[in-house]
Amino acid sequence: MIFWVAAVITVLAAAAPLGQGRLGRFVTLTGLTVVETDVRRVVGHFASLRRWRLAAVVLAAPVAGLTADPFYLVVGWCAVPVFRVVRAPVTDAVYRQAWLLAVLASAVTGCYLLTAQGITLTRLAHAVIVVAVIAAISYAERNAGPEKPDETESAIGRWSVRTRYLTGSVIVLAGVLIAPGRALPSESPQYTMPMQFEEQQVSFRKIGEVKQPTCPWIDQLDAPCRYWLVDDAPFPQAAPYVVMKGGAPKAAPFVVSPDRRSAVYLDRTSRRMVHQHEDNRHDLGGPLADADVPEVSISERGRYVALAKNGTRVIDTRSWSEITLPGALKVLEVNSAGVVVTTASRLIAYDQRGRELLSIAIPDGRLESHTAFLKPDGSRLVIISDFGTLVETYDLTTHECIHRVRARLPDGDPIESGTGWSSKGPFQVHRDAGDEERKDFFLDLATGRTRYVKNGPPGGYRPANQ
């Protein structure tokens, strides 16, 4: 709605009649002495400019309202001086230098946004308009005419060229600096049962134990188990549940980084995904209906967050730049080297700029058994599949599978889960077991042999088939 209001205000401003102030500025800045016979020509110039501007704004207003992109209002307001044919000598060099600086700033900013966040339809449309403006002004410069002997016509020409440079600068800068607003979800957020919480925002330094809510039913509305517990203390800003259509409530996402210093959760009030580090909170998007709440993955030190729901967004929590991976349904790994995802039929590894590193076809029905681990230096990708028995290692430089082994734990059981590369170097796997059993093992990716992390059997590695 706000963009439609802005569009209407812009149209009304373009339709406003000419005032004495406009003509006064023209006379002051051009130094022209206007006699009675010249008034008609000066007023006619500005009246014509006003009519064409009004027409351009009327065309741009519905586009801006429908796309929630105010850039089109800027284009509608500024396009007429840029594209209007005025044969006149180049104006003062100061305005041309300002124009060139604006083009340079626009090019640098545009390249950064494309590199950090990728190409979108909005950026592509902005780029087409910016290129058209640059081409129009360059063409006008090459076809500049000589100074006109008529003082009034010459002053109008210089004024028009000055306006062309200034409005062109506004358009090329707005093309990279203005982004469309985020549309609200078509479905109203489905709020869970109302709860009375203290109006406070809890912070932390390092998270220990996290306990999820355990009583989602209406007859337990006032029970203390209707919020998350962080180190046995309530964490009231995190939403306890989401409600899916036709199903029982389930716990809302609350994911803690492996270093225990960052968390990502659904805010109970705003219904936005939030990244929190100590007492610093940052929204990761707009309000969400319960059905649109994504699955969350977070890197070792909490810098990178992946949100998977009808595609995947990967957000750098240091610069707050992000990349979008269309078609990515599930995130298997995210770290400083990149992100590994699965689509409907493939497993794909990307770097943190969104560049594809490796793509592997996976047979139907077997994606659920795959886990993946990306080495922090970006050199290797390990995939564990076939219910923990097949381990494949890929070199991301050559895109080749360099090792394919059948691996089992020392007691003959399959690998239950991988944990990635340890601080000591070897790849490490894990087994959920009782307190008296060893849980962590090193895995030799070339041979498939495993050994205990501590107090391993004499002789080092134990063969995988023993």
Side-chain angles (χ1 to χ4, degrees):
M1 177 60 72
I2 187 173
F3 298 101
W4 285 105
V5 173
V8 171
I9 292 174
T10 305
V11 171
L12 294 177
L18 292 174
Q20 291 294 331
R22 182 75 176 276
L23 302 178
R25 286 194 300 274
F26 171 76
V27 172
T28 301
L29 291 175
T30 59
L32 178 67
T33 302
V34 181
V35 297
E36 185 175 353
T37 56
D38 296 327
V39 171
R40 185 179 299 277
R41 283 189 291 173
V42 175
V43 172
H45 167 76
F46 284 107
S48 175
L49 181 65
R50 170 180 167 273
R51 287 194 299 271
W52 283 106
R53 173 172 287 159
L54 177 59
V57 169
V58 167
L59 293 175
V63 179
L66 292 172
T67 61
D69 191 348
F71 172 66
Y72 295 104
L73 295 178
V74 176
V75 173
W77 188 271
C78 299
V80 174
V82 171
F83 293 98
R84 198 176 188 209
V85 177
V86 177
R87 288 183 59 81
V90 176
T91 191
D92 192 315
V94 171
Y95 297 114
R96 188 171 189 275
Q97 290 171 357
W99 156 249
L100 294 176
L101 287 175
V103 171
L104 178 62
S106 175
V108 171
T109 306
C111 290
Y112 168 77
L113 292 175
L114 290 176
T115 302
Q117 301 178 12
I119 298 175
T120 63
L121 290 178
T122 298
R123 291 198 183 96
L124 188 59
H126 286 202
V128 169
I129 294 173
V130 168
V131 169
V133 169
I134 294 173
I137 292 181
S138 299
Y139 176 80
E141 287 179 344
R142 291 196 300 270
N143 291 273
E147 184 77 25
K148 296 181 180 180
D150 186 295
E151 184 182 5
T152 301
E153 289 297 328
S154 182
I156 291 175
R158 292 194 303 271
W159 176 275
S160 298
V161 176
R162 165 188 174 275
T163 306
R164 175 186 294 151
Y165 281 131
L166 294 179
T167 53
S169 299
V170 171
I171 292 176
V172 298
L173 291 175
V176 293
L177 298 179
I178 294 180
R182 290 181 176 271
L184 293 175
S186 56
E187 179 183 357
S188 299
Q190 301 174 6
Y191 292 94
T192 54
M193 298 297 180
M195 286 292 296
Q196 296 296 324
F197 291 93
E198 298 180 12
E199 293 297 328
Q200 61 176 341
Q201 298 292 328
V202 176
S203 62
F204 53 81
R205 294 189 63 83
K206 190 170 184 179
I207 294 176
E209 185 179 17
V210 177
K211 296 179 181 178
Q212 71 176 39
T214 55
C215 48
W217 306 110
I218 192 169
D219 58 348
Q220 298 169 314
L221 184 62
D222 297 323
C225 54
R226 284 193 54 83
Y227 44 79
W228 290 87
L229 296 179
V230 175
D231 295 328
D232 292 324
F235 199 81
Q237 63 259 43
Y241 294 98
V242 291
V243 182
M244 300 301 178
K245 290 183 177 179
K250 69 175 186 178
F254 190 107
V255 180
V256 180
S257 63
D259 69 351
R260 316 301 291 179
R261 297 186 181 277
S262 301
V264 176
Y265 55 85
L266 179 68
D267 187 273
R268 71 174 181 88
T269 303
S270 69
R271 308 301 285 187
R272 301 171 186 262
M273 296 304 300
V274 172
H275 175 274
Q276 181 168 343
H277 177 76
E278 297 183 354
D279 58 351
N280 298 316
R281 292 162 40 91
H282 193 282
D283 291 342
L284 302 180
L288 297 170
D290 282 17
D292 296 328
V293 173
E295 293 185 8
V296 180
S297 302
I298 188 168
S299 64
E300 169 66 30
R301 300 187 181 279
R303 176 172 176 179
Y304 296 99
V305 176
L307 305 178
K309 188 72 175 183
N310 300 322
T312 295
R313 297 165 55 214
V314 183
I315 303 166
D316 184 340
T317 64
R318 183 176 298 174
S319 64
W320 299 114
S321 62
E322 66 177 77
I323 60 173
T324 302
L325 306 176
L329 304 179
K330 183 178 181 181
V331 177
L332 302 183
E333 168 82 313
V334 60
N335 62 23
S336 58
V339 57
V340 183
V341 301
T342 58
T343 66
S345 60
R346 304 190 73 84
L347 184 149
I348 308 176
Y350 298 91
D351 65 14
Q352 286 296 352
R353 293 186 174 183
R355 181 172 61 92
E356 186 177 295
L357 302 175
L358 185 68
S359 179
I360 304 170
I362 305 296
D364 291 343
R366 300 185 62 182
L367 283 170
E368 291 298 325
S369 68
H370 285 67
T371 56
F373 303 88
L374 188 62
K375 198 169 185 179
D377 64 5
S379 63
R380 296 287 188 271
L381 174 68
V382 170
I383 300 174
I384 301 177
S385 60
D386 204 7
F387 303 100
T389 62
L390 179 62
V391 181
E392 297 171 292
T393 306
Y394 288 84
D395 186 319
L396 294 181
T397 302
T398 63
H399 299 173
E400 295 181 352
C401 180
I402 56 176
H403 302 300
R404 180 179 284 110
V405 296
R406 290 286 176 178
R408 287 188 175 274
L409 298 178
D411 58 5
D413 288 340
I415 296 170
E416 293 187 9
S417 62
T419 55
W421 282 264
S422 68
S423 59
K424 299 178 182 180
F427 190 82
Q428 193 166 316
V429 295
H430 180 80
R431 174 176 62 186
D432 295 327
D435 293 339
E436 302 301 323
E437 297 185 50
R438 294 186 173 96
K439 299 181 180 181
D440 298 306
F441 305 84
F442 289 134
L443 170 65
D444 187 326
L445 297 173
T447 65
R449 295 178 178 178
T450 57
R451 64 181 173 89
Y452 298 122
V453 170
K454 295 181 180 179
N455 302 322
Y461 283 97
R462 176 175 294 181
N465 59 359
Q466 285 190 1

